[in-house]
Amino acid sequence: MVQRSFALALVAVAVLAAPTAASAATGASSASAASGSRDFSFRGMNLKLPSGWKAHRDGDSVVVVTGTCANPEPFAANCQSFWVFGPKAFTNLPVGGGSLTYTGKWQFHPFSGVVPCPFNAKTSWYQGEKPSSTGLRPVGRGHKALYNAWPNRCVTNNGARQTMRFTQREWFLPTSKILIVDVWNTPELSGVLKRATWS
């Protein structure tokens, strides 16, 4: 019940409040691009990134930019990327007067405020309540992630009109404490994850 209330509260906030780019991304100056290597390692997971993808690490969060991006931060609008999070990003999330830890039973959305639509900062991100697809997906040999695909919408600031639909895909590895989130339907991402190696 708390989890459902969390999702509904976020939806209500998204419809009633106007988004700002600043609410979606902070600390851009502290993020740093990975050196020229296309190899990317995070908590023992090693990925071979295609040419042109660049990893920007900021503490327990990484933004892997796959296309154009002015501000490589999680949940920033107009940044073609996917995100890789460690446990600091998905444990003790503030909800109401308490906190929750991400388990894959509800969509990852760590803010209590409004987040702009990933594709248009002038519209709001409206979350779906049930995944359209769920199951286990391989992330390298011997590792399977809990996979969920959540339908989402972009709506005008007053919530009166939908401007587009998109899917938030999530791969969660509870033992390794890694969460991968993609809202851009990055075509090569599933294959990159399937070919992961572990150290």
Side-chain angles (χ1 to χ4, degrees):
M1 187 65 180
V2 172
Q3 292 171 349
R4 181 171 170 77
S5 298
F6 175 64
L8 292 176
L10 289 174
V11 167
V13 170
V15 171
L16 296 174
T20 63
S23 70
T26 57
S29 61
S30 64
S32 60
S35 60
S37 174
R38 289 193 188 87
D39 293 333
F40 167 69
S41 297
F42 187 81
R43 299 184 62 81
M45 177 182 69
N46 307 298
L47 304 178
K48 282 276 193 197
L49 301 182
S51 176
W53 290 15
K54 292 182 182 174
H56 299 261
R57 189 182 302 257
D58 186 10
D60 216 25
S61 300
V62 180
V63 175
V64 180
V65 175
T66 60
T68 58
C69 178
N71 184 20
E73 293 290 323
F75 290 90
N78 303 311
C79 179
Q80 286 181 270
S81 60
F82 64 91
W83 316 314
V84 183
F85 298 111
K88 289 180 184 174
F90 57 79
T91 57
N92 298 316
L93 299 170
V95 180
S99 64
L100 285 177
T101 294
Y102 177 86
T103 62
K105 292 183 180 178
W106 40 270
Q107 182 173 327
F108 180 71
H109 186 100
F111 305 106
S112 57
V114 172
V115 175
C117 172
F119 317 101
N120 182 350
K122 295 180 180 178
T123 59
S124 299
W125 186 327
Y126 191 95
Q127 287 184 284
E129 292 185 41
K130 293 182 179 178
S132 58
S133 178
T134 189
L136 296 175
R137 297 287 190 276
V139 180
R141 186 179 302 216
H143 289 76
K144 290 195 184 253
L146 172 61
Y147 173 83
N148 286 301
W150 300 88
N152 286 258
R153 298 184 290 150
C154 297
V155 297
T156 54
N157 290 338
N158 62 5
R161 185 171 62 87
Q162 173 180 297
T163 61
M164 72 178 305
R165 292 179 179 270
F166 66 97
T167 299
Q168 177 165 305
R169 301 186 299 166
E170 301 173 353
W171 292 259
F172 180 50
L173 295 132
T175 302
S176 304
K177 294 183 170 48
I178 298 172
L179 173 63
I180 300 150
V181 179
D182 177 40
V183 298
W184 287 86
N185 195 26
T186 306
E188 298 173 74
L189 180 54
S190 292
V192 166
L193 295 176
K194 193 180 290 188
R195 293 186 294 274
T197 59
W198 292 85
S199 52

